[in-house]
Amino acid sequence: MGKRAKARSLTPVNSGANAEPIERRDLRQRVVGRIVELIRTGNLRPGDRLPPERELVDIFSISRPSLREAMRALSTLGIVESRHGGGTFVTDLDARTLLAPLDFFLQLSQVNLDDTFESRRVVEIEIVRKAAVQARRDDIADLNDMIAAHAKIQKDPVGFRILDSRFHEKLSAIAGNAVLQRVAYGLYNMDLHIRRRATAEPGLIAESTEDHTEIAAAIAAHDPDRAAAAMAHHLAHIKESTMRTLAGQRFDVVESTKRSI
């Protein structure tokens, strides 16, 4: 048997990998790419169990350490998951799972605030447009309940932050786009440590309450343009208060440094 025929015989019939073994150059990346391609073409589907490690080593003509690194990369991407004592499986491939690494990236990235808020504008304005079209009676009732709850937390920054996050999450849920929902979640949580301080600013909770009320009313009226304008207005307020808080933090650092000299 020739080398090529021998290598081809290492691939199990039911593995879905019917091509020649991958070249040894960039093996890990190529293994990841091959698995993704198998999923894209339907050879692998959510819930499928991958062959055991010893078989995958032969299938891809790869060393065990390199294979394990490729599997770790696929796991980080949310494409496969290892179950204790049960092997490695293709995940449900749900958008929330696949976009989880984006959340992690957004949390760690030192992105310019202007870029952050520009991204929020693009995403959240589209979300409220969709929400205004798709909102059902129970969705509108939920939003109205949240607006009513604002009256109880006007002097409670912690309570407001909890309600604010719930309000924005509800808008994403009404819009019904899982990808937009996940991206919006990641962007919302960026620079949250700064906005936490901003909520203690006098008048901010009242201002946000007015903004939320207008957004909810526009969605209840099923008016996408009005909802988009209300969200743009709200995000402008958030950016302004965030920038003021950030400027105050920088001033405090400078003053503290002067005193320590």
Side-chain angles (χ1 to χ4, degrees):
M1 183 181 293
K3 291 183 178 180
R4 180 172 296 183
K6 183 178 180 181
R8 187 180 291 121
S9 70
L10 293 174
T11 302
V13 174
N14 64 352
S15 71
N18 54 11
E20 293 180 339
I22 298 171
E23 299 172 7
R24 293 192 177 278
R25 177 171 166 267
D26 297 328
L27 280 175
R28 287 165 292 180
Q29 292 84 348
R30 289 173 179 263
V31 169
V32 170
R34 181 62 60 84
I35 295 293
V36 170
E37 179 64 13
L38 290 171
I39 292 171
R40 188 189 69 79
T41 58
N43 283 307
L44 287 174
R45 299 177 63 84
D48 280 353
R49 179 177 178 176
L50 297 182
E53 183 180 87
R54 63 181 180 278
E55 292 182 19
L56 289 174
V57 165
D58 288 337
I59 289 170
F60 293 119
S61 291
I62 193 172
S63 67
R64 284 179 183 265
S66 294
L67 175 68
R68 288 170 182 171
E69 289 182 17
M71 290 298 110
R72 280 197 293 271
L74 288 165
S75 177
T76 299
L77 292 169
I79 294 172
V80 303
E81 61 182 355
S82 297
R83 301 176 187 173
H84 183 66
T88 302
F89 293 78
V90 178
T91 67
D92 56 12
L93 302 178
D94 180 77
R96 292 174 181 81
T97 303
L98 295 175
L99 289 172
L102 175 64
D103 292 346
F104 184 69
F105 167 76
L106 291 175
Q107 294 296 325
L108 294 182
S109 297
Q110 297 297 314
V111 179
N112 183 282
L113 278 176
D114 287 336
D115 292 343
T116 301
F117 281 103
E118 181 182 1
S119 299
R120 283 195 68 177
R121 278 179 56 87
V122 171
V123 173
E124 294 199 49
I125 286 176
E126 181 61 22
I127 281 174
V128 294
R129 282 187 176 278
K130 288 181 175 294
V133 172
Q134 299 178 185
R136 300 171 302 183
R137 183 176 300 176
D138 57 340
D139 294 324
I140 295 169
D142 286 344
L143 289 176
N144 288 336
D145 286 345
M146 285 186 230
I147 297 303
H150 278 66
K152 301 177 181 178
I153 48 82
Q154 289 299 300
K155 297 182 180 180
D156 182 359
V158 175
F160 168 75
R161 290 197 295 269
I162 295 171
L163 185 56
D164 182 69
S165 65
R166 184 182 168 213
F167 180 79
H168 283 268
E169 286 174 9
K170 180 62 178 179
L171 297 178
S172 295
I174 296 172
N177 184 305
V179 174
L180 285 177
Q181 184 174 8
R182 199 66 190 184
V183 174
Y185 176 81
L187 290 169
Y188 178 91
N189 286 297
M190 284 190 70
D191 304 306
L192 195 57
H193 63 290
I194 301 173
R195 299 204 309 280
R196 281 173 58 90
R197 290 190 59 179
T199 55
E201 183 180 306
L204 185 137
I205 294 177
E207 180 180 72
S208 292
T209 297
E210 292 180 6
D211 291 349
H212 287 181
T213 301
E214 176 57 24
I215 293 168
I219 291 173
H222 299 288
D223 188 335
D225 291 340
R226 180 182 166 190
M231 178 56 78
H233 191 64
H234 181 45
L235 292 174
H237 284 158
I238 294 174
K239 181 178 179 180
E240 289 168 5
S241 63
T242 301
M243 297 301 287
R244 284 195 302 269
T245 301
L246 186 59
Q249 285 184 342
R250 288 170 178 164
F251 177 79
D252 291 344
V253 169
V254 170
E255 290 300 305
S256 177
T257 302
K258 288 180 179 178
R259 287 194 296 268
S260 66
I261 295 175

